[in-house]
């Protein structure tokens, strides 16, 4: 029993970042794909690429509104127009706009770091960053489609 307890303890306390990188699914990808994807990738029932494809499909087909941090004002407008009980959300958000000003500093700093030669090298060598890049591109695509669709409904 002691040996089994030790193995369970080790599994519970395993840092996901210490697992082989080809078997680690980014937490945001897990949220977009579903909890089953994390279990399925760890057991190798599906590949990381399958899980990312599922997350991309979910972004395209299962979300009434997809928002981007750098487009927060448009996100609140879309949320108001697509979800009736959110009326007034954009007005409340604009009063709290100072909360999102910090995001601009992070965005600027990250943009600078990723644009650097060192950042590009790190990005090219990171499976995790490749996952996030693919999901961001899909989210951007869905966001732009949703925004255009709402603009056409005026």
């Amino acid at each position: 029993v002691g040996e089994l307890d030790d193995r369970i303890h080790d599994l519970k306390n395993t840092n996901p970042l210490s697992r082989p990188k080809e078997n680690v699914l980014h937490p945001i990808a897990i949220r977009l794909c579903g909890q089953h994807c994390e279990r399925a990738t760890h057991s190798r029932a599906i590949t990381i690429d399958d899980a990312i494809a599922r997350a991309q499909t979910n972004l395209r087909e299962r979300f009434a509104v997809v928002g981007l941090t750098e487009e927060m004002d448009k996100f609140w407008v879309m949320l108001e127009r697509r979800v009736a009980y959110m009326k007034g959300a954009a007005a409340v958000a604009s009063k709290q706009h100072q909360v999102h000003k910090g995001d601009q500093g992070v965005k600027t700093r990250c943009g600078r770091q990723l644009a650097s030669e060192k950042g590009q090298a790190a990005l090219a060598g990171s499976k995790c960053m490749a996952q996030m890049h693919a999901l961001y591109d899909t989210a951007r695509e869905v966001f732009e489609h949703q925004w255009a669709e709402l603009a056409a409904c005026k």
Side-chain angles (χ1 to χ4, degrees):
V1 174
E3 184 182 326
L4 179 59
D5 289 339
D6 289 343
R7 286 197 338 232
I8 290 171
H9 180 267
D10 289 346
L11 285 173
K12 282 183 176 177
N13 295 307
T14 300
N15 179 347
L17 298 177
S18 67
R19 295 179 192 141
K21 290 185 180 183
E22 67 274 6
N23 298 327
V24 177
L25 190 59
H26 191 282
I28 291 174
I30 293 167
R31 288 186 201 106
L32 294 172
C33 181
Q35 291 296 323
H36 67 282
C37 283
E38 181 179 31
R39 288 188 300 276
T41 56
H42 288 307
S43 67
R44 297 189 178 150
I46 64 171
T47 66
I48 295 291
D49 291 337
D50 293 337
I52 295 298
R54 180 79 225 146
Q56 289 174 308
T57 298
N58 287 346
L59 273 168
R60 289 184 182 105
E61 298 175 2
R62 307 232 183 245
F63 289 88
V65 179
V66 171
L68 301 170
T69 302
E70 67 269 22
E71 302 282 2
M72 194 59 74
D73 293 336
K74 289 181 179 180
F75 167 75
W76 288 112
V77 170
M78 286 196 304
L79 191 61
E80 244 183 25
R81 294 200 52 208
R82 286 189 181 261
V83 184
Y85 65 83
M86 294 299 293
K87 291 291 181 210
V92 170
S94 68
K95 289 179 185 172
Q96 296 176 346
H97 191 66
Q98 66 276 6
V99 172
H100 302 297
K101 287 183 181 175
D103 295 337
Q104 291 304 316
V106 171
K107 178 184 171 194
T108 302
R109 200 167 48 253
C110 287
R112 247 192 338 262
Q113 289 172 350
L114 290 174
S116 72
E117 198 173 300
K118 186 177 177 182
Q120 287 296 309
L123 185 60
S126 171
K127 181 88 170 166
C128 184
M129 287 301 290
Q131 293 173 26
M132 296 312 300
H133 190 52
L135 291 174
Y136 177 82
D137 287 347
T138 302
R140 166 68 58 194
E141 167 198 318
V142 173
F143 172 82
E144 289 173 358
H145 173 77
Q146 289 177 344
W147 184 251
E149 186 179 62
L150 285 177
C153 292
K154 288 184 179 182

